[in-house]
Amino acid sequence: LEHLGLVGLLGLSACDLEEQIVSGVTSSYYETAAGLEDAVSASYSGLQNLYGGNERTEVTLNNGTDIWDRGYGGGHTQWNDYTAQLEPNTAYVRELWDHLYESVNTTNAVIHRAESIETGISAALKEQRIAEARFLRALYYFHLVRHFGDVHLTLEETQGVIVEAKRTPKSDIYAQVIIPD
């Protein structure tokens, strides 16, 4: 068996592996047909954190609701009982907030950058990709208002640091994003 392992290692070293190193991707890449497809795929990755078995988001999304009671073996009781340990500065809350706004920003990028793509994609496919991004943006905002109430509404891609935010009433967010998107 030891010899087979050595033969296997030698066999691996003899194979020809072609790598494509991707570096230096600029912002303009997302204004191409291939970049649009990649950006739409990236928009869907936000769902994995919400529904893909991430303990932190499962705790924040499901505990304290009628979906489950005393999730994770009775831990995180502050989410079920709304005790003083349920604070806005806890990691679970902060990470949910950050994750949702990162996902919103990705969808905003898709929606606005798709407009400038003129070659390599049919009008119907471009319209479909924009519709997918709008649906995902609505879903991410739905979770934001469900958990945080009135939140900052942005329909533009954020590029750079933003240090100012304004709370938008959740009824406006439903009317501007969640229902139409």
Side-chain angles (χ1 to χ4, degrees):
L1 287 176
E2 291 175 20
H3 298 291
L4 290 175
L6 182 59
V7 170
L9 285 175
L10 291 174
L12 284 177
S13 66
C15 74
D16 185 23
L17 177 65
E18 290 186 34
E19 293 183 49
Q20 179 184 2
I21 299 173
V22 179
S23 62
V25 173
T26 64
S27 179
S28 62
Y29 172 68
Y30 298 108
E31 295 168 1
T32 66
L36 176 65
E37 292 297 322
D38 289 344
V40 170
S41 293
S43 297
Y44 279 98
S45 69
L47 298 176
Q48 184 175 5
N49 279 331
L50 287 174
Y51 306 114
N54 178 332
E55 177 186 347
R56 291 177 185 252
T57 52
E58 284 186 1
V59 166
T60 56
L61 294 178
N62 298 322
N63 273 331
T65 69
D66 62 354
I67 293 174
W68 82 35
D69 184 41
R70 304 279 185 233
Y72 287 96
H76 309 292
T77 58
Q78 68 271 22
W79 293 93
N80 291 297
D81 302 332
Y82 303 102
T83 65
Q85 288 80 26
L86 182 57
E87 297 179 346
N89 63 350
T90 63
Y92 282 23
V93 174
R94 184 178 57 253
E95 289 173 12
L96 179 65
W97 174 274
D98 290 347
H99 165 73
L100 288 168
Y101 270 109
E102 288 167 4
S103 299
V104 164
N105 194 53
T106 303
T107 59
N108 282 338
V110 168
I111 293 164
H112 293 287
R113 290 176 183 245
E115 296 168 3
S116 64
I117 301 171
E118 297 177 5
T119 61
I121 189 169
S122 70
L125 183 58
K126 183 165 66 168
E127 186 178 320
Q128 177 185 332
R129 296 300 186 236
I130 292 170
E132 290 174 56
R134 288 174 56 108
F135 168 79
L136 291 168
R137 179 176 67 181
L139 180 62
Y140 298 138
Y141 267 115
F142 172 75
H143 283 296
L144 279 165
V145 298
R146 183 174 156 229
H147 289 281
F148 301 103
D150 299 343
V151 296
H152 179 71
L153 174 64
T154 180
L155 302 176
E156 301 291 328
E157 177 186 7
T158 302
Q159 296 179 347
V161 177
I162 304 293
V163 295
E164 206 173 292
K166 297 179 183 174
R167 288 186 149 212
T168 303
K170 61 183 177 182
S171 59
D172 291 353
I173 294 172
Y174 269 94
Q176 291 180 46
V177 179
I178 296 171
I179 294 171
D181 280 2

